[in-house]
Amino acid sequence: MSKVQAAIAKARAAREEAKRRPIDPSPPPYPKSSDQQSRILTRSMPSQPIDRSMVWMPLETFTPTDRRMARNRIVSFKDGAQKAPGAVELDMLRTKVLQQMRAHNWKRLAITSPSADCGKTTVALNLAFSLSRQADSFTIVAEMDMRRPSMAKTFGLTGNAGFSSVIDGTANFADVAMRPRPNLAFGMNYAPARNPSELLQSTTAKHILAQIDERYQPDITIFDMPPMLSSDDTMAFIGQVDCVLLVAAAEATSVKEIDKCERELATQTNVLGVMLNKCRYMDQETSY
């Protein structure tokens, strides 16, 4: 436990040091390839303002039950004065994420973990429902963990074409997306995908994600990524996001794993922070 906390403190100190470094005023170099240039141009072009409530309305809706959400630890699903244990902490995470992303004009957030069973998907779902309580904020959640998809099972849904079919160009997002709230849409998978690493780094996937951004104009897109140390899927895609949140499990994730993942992620994108999950022991100062 103390080793994980020490690693988080070390990562925080490194980020603060990076903030104090002088910014190079020179313009960024041109991309080395036409594909990179296309991505930069697509992401930087301003979108025309639209009435998002009308564009999102045709997306299919579903209503998860309170009981199912509670059983799967989606504590931010139910709104009200009497919040479930852990909901306040998730709201604090939401506020910190929004502050950082708005300050840097970031739109794409990836959530990953060093290994399996750290709770990254649970964190992604809780963050999404917490964000949905802000009526003027629109969020898309894309399930990119295509070897072991779990979101549909969490919601009790079944289907055929999933989000993997969208990014390989064989299905439309409008036909696959599921919307539990007017401003929250999920792109889920119902079965494992073939060759997920190749799919995630394909040019087709980049263009389709850009088209989804252009059409639906989400304030934030959350990408639920696979565990970093289980395959190369996350590193194949992580360069397409603006920032990443690393979820570590108390008493399970080692300091070495956190350091390794944070170094590799920092070469591709911005590390938003490290979240300590599954912590059974909290001192009086940090547990209100």
Side-chain angles (χ1 to χ4, degrees):
M1 176 66 184
S2 60
K3 291 183 178 180
V4 174
Q5 290 177 326
I8 294 173
K10 178 182 175 183
R12 186 181 297 113
R15 289 192 295 273
E16 292 299 324
E17 176 64 24
K19 292 178 182 178
R20 291 192 289 268
R21 294 172 187 166
I23 299 175
D24 183 4
S26 60
Y30 287 104
K32 296 180 180 180
S33 69
S34 58
D35 181 65
Q36 289 175 312
Q37 187 174 11
S38 173
R39 173 193 159 203
I40 290 175
L41 290 174
T42 301
R43 294 284 303 281
S44 62
M45 289 179 62
S47 300
Q48 295 297 321
I50 61 171
D51 185 348
R52 290 184 294 185
S53 61
M54 296 299 295
V55 175
W56 286 52
M57 188 178 296
L59 300 179
E60 186 174 352
T61 61
F62 71 104
T63 306
T65 64
D66 292 347
R67 184 176 180 180
R68 176 177 286 276
M69 294 294 95
R71 186 168 66 246
N72 287 285
R73 296 189 175 90
I74 312 303
V75 297
S76 63
F77 172 74
K78 191 174 181 179
D79 196 10
Q82 190 68 28
K83 293 188 176 181
V88 173
E89 288 77 8
L90 267 300
D91 286 347
M92 292 173 64
L93 174 66
R94 172 198 64 191
T95 300
K96 292 179 180 180
V97 167
L98 281 175
Q99 288 174 343
Q100 289 294 314
M101 296 190 71
R102 287 172 177 171
H104 296 88
N105 196 29
W106 292 340
K107 300 291 186 181
R108 293 181 176 184
L109 167 66
I111 298 181
T112 186
S113 60
S115 57
D117 300 322
C118 289
K120 63 175 182 59
T121 300
T122 303
V123 170
L125 293 175
N126 273 293
L127 178 58
F129 279 106
S130 183
L131 287 166
S132 73
R133 292 205 295 274
Q134 296 195 339
D136 60 343
S137 180
F138 286 71
T139 303
I140 290 176
V141 181
E143 186 171 34
M144 309 300 270
D145 190 348
M146 299 180 183
R147 297 180 190 269
R148 295 177 59 186
S150 60
M151 286 189 181
K153 183 179 179 180
T154 298
F155 292 129
L157 300 175
T158 58
N160 296 316
F163 191 69
S164 60
S165 299
V166 175
I167 62 175
D168 72 7
T170 59
N172 294 321
F173 181 72
D175 299 327
V176 170
M178 300 290 289
R179 186 166 54 90
R181 300 276 168 83
N183 59 342
L184 175 62
F186 286 90
M188 295 173 281
N189 294 297
Y190 303 100
R194 295 181 179 180
N195 303 319
S197 179
E198 291 77 7
L199 179 60
L200 290 172
Q201 59 187 322
S202 67
T203 302
T204 301
K206 295 176 185 178
H207 290 325
I208 288 175
L209 290 174
Q211 291 172 4
I212 293 173
D213 287 344
E214 181 68 21
R215 171 62 176 164
Y216 295 95
Q217 297 186 16
D219 295 286
I220 294 180
T221 301
I222 299 174
F223 296 93
D224 177 34
M225 303 303 302
M228 282 194 62
L229 304 181
S230 300
S231 67
D232 66 332
D233 296 358
T234 296
M235 291 307 294
F237 178 80
I238 207 68
Q240 301 302 312
V241 304
D242 298 310
C243 56
V244 59
L245 177 67
L246 184 65
V247 178
E251 303 179 66
T253 305
S254 68
V255 175
K256 183 178 179 181
E257 288 174 331
I258 293 175
D259 285 343
K260 180 179 180 181
C261 291
E262 191 164 26
R263 285 197 303 270
E264 291 185 1
L265 290 169
T267 64
Q268 298 281 347
T269 188
N270 301 287
V271 179
L272 193 62
V274 179
M275 177 181 175
L276 182 63
N277 195 28
K278 298 187 176 183
C279 185
R280 294 183 296 164
Y281 306 104
M282 299 295 289
D283 56 39
Q284 189 174 3
E285 180 181 354
T286 55
S287 58
Y288 180 67

